[in-house]
Amino acid sequence: MQIEELLDFCCEFGRRMTRCGGEIYRVEESITRILAAYGYRESEVFAIPSYVTVSVHADGRTYTHMVRIRDSATQLEVLDQLNNLCRRICTAPMEIADARAEMDEIVRRPALSPAADYAMYGLAAMFFTLFWGGTVLDAAIALPVGLLTRLIVPRLRKTGANVFFLNVIAAAAQAVVPLLLAHAGLANHSDKVIIGALMLLVPGLAITNAMRDVIAGDFLTAVVRLAEVLIVS
């Protein structure tokens, strides 16, 4: 087995776990266990939300690979399947080419159908609007705003837009519909609709992971995540 091939796989595995919303300790531990499963127990793994580096000591040399992480999206089902793949590799190591093909298939496979994904965005915007004190009419207006958010966000991610720019554009688009309807006299509480829709952009998982990183002692990662959360907010 080529050590470069294994390191390349481990870096990509760590990148995809991080992009799906995985905690940093999970990323580092998973890569360390995969390397140990293939017989490389002298390894160093360092990860932050935007970077992963893996080093292995073998044959009197140190081999190092690293990758940058430029975007992220919450995909907990994909993260769970990557966890399962890691466990299977640790139990019965497979050929790296086969492991990589399975990893690519997991990431490529959609967690939800497009229709279900749109429905989740729309319903979430509706119920958050009701939660913040909106009326049934406000909730009905929030539904298409949620659908519009689902339409915009994935397309902005494909362009490589950073998280700040993505949220600015998406939030501005969310405000257009309720403000126009309020101007036409068709919406009573445009603020409630906008707040309900904005909840779709709140980085809740990043906040949770930042607190988990503090508990785990990964203070650098926690600071990075908190900085992202504050900027987005």
Side-chain angles (χ1 to χ4, degrees):
M1 177 188 300
Q2 294 293 326
I3 182 64
E4 290 84 0
E5 183 183 13
L6 176 60
L7 289 177
D8 185 60
F9 168 74
C10 287
C11 282
E12 188 61 27
F13 190 87
R15 171 159 57 186
R16 295 188 178 188
M17 287 191 78
T18 305
R19 290 169 74 179
C20 291
E23 308 95 316
I24 291 301
Y25 87 90
R26 185 190 303 273
V27 174
E28 294 181 341
E29 183 177 342
S30 297
I31 295 175
T32 300
R33 289 180 179 273
I34 290 173
L35 290 170
Y38 287 103
Y40 297 97
R41 299 188 178 276
E42 293 186 50
S43 62
E44 295 290 342
V45 181
F46 176 74
I48 57 177
S50 59
Y51 175 83
V52 176
T53 181
V54 182
S55 294
V56 168
H57 306 289
D59 304 325
R61 296 179 56 190
T62 299
Y63 300 85
T64 302
H65 276 216
M66 59 192 73
V67 292
R68 285 274 283 126
I69 305 168
R70 301 185 183 279
D71 59 349
S72 63
T74 303
Q75 295 177 303
L76 297 183
E77 183 172 347
V78 174
L79 179 61
D80 179 59
Q81 292 175 11
L82 289 174
N83 272 329
N84 291 335
L85 174 59
C86 176
R87 295 188 185 99
R88 285 190 283 113
I89 291 174
C90 293
T91 303
M94 62 182 75
E95 292 293 329
I96 293 299
D98 295 336
R100 179 136 198 164
E102 187 166 344
M103 177 181 66
D104 291 339
E105 176 60 26
I106 289 172
V107 175
R108 191 163 47 243
R109 187 187 311 140
L112 292 173
S113 68
D117 211 13
Y118 274 98
M120 293 302 102
Y121 270 77
L123 292 173
M126 280 183 61
F127 288 114
F128 272 121
T129 299
L130 292 173
F131 177 82
W132 293 116
T135 64
V136 174
L137 176 60
D138 297 328
I141 295 171
L143 175 62
V145 177
L147 301 180
L148 179 63
T149 306
R150 171 57 181 80
L151 181 68
I152 291 173
V153 169
R155 284 162 175 76
L156 287 175
R157 286 200 178 110
K158 288 181 180 179
T159 66
N162 65 60
V163 65
F164 178 76
F165 181 76
L166 184 150
N167 280 278
V168 167
I169 297 301
Q174 288 176 337
V176 169
V177 175
L179 289 177
L180 288 177
L181 291 177
H183 184 71
L186 300 177
N188 297 325
H189 307 99
S190 60
D191 56 333
K192 300 295 192 300
V193 178
I194 294 172
I195 293 171
L198 282 175
M199 293 302 294
L200 296 171
L201 304 177
V202 172
L205 184 62
I207 297 171
T208 303
N209 282 346
M211 296 301 101
R212 177 64 181 82
D213 291 330
V214 170
I215 295 171
D218 294 327
F219 298 113
L220 176 60
T221 300
V223 169
V224 172
R225 289 195 192 277
L226 284 174
E228 177 185 334
V229 167
L230 291 174
I231 290 171
V232 170
S233 299

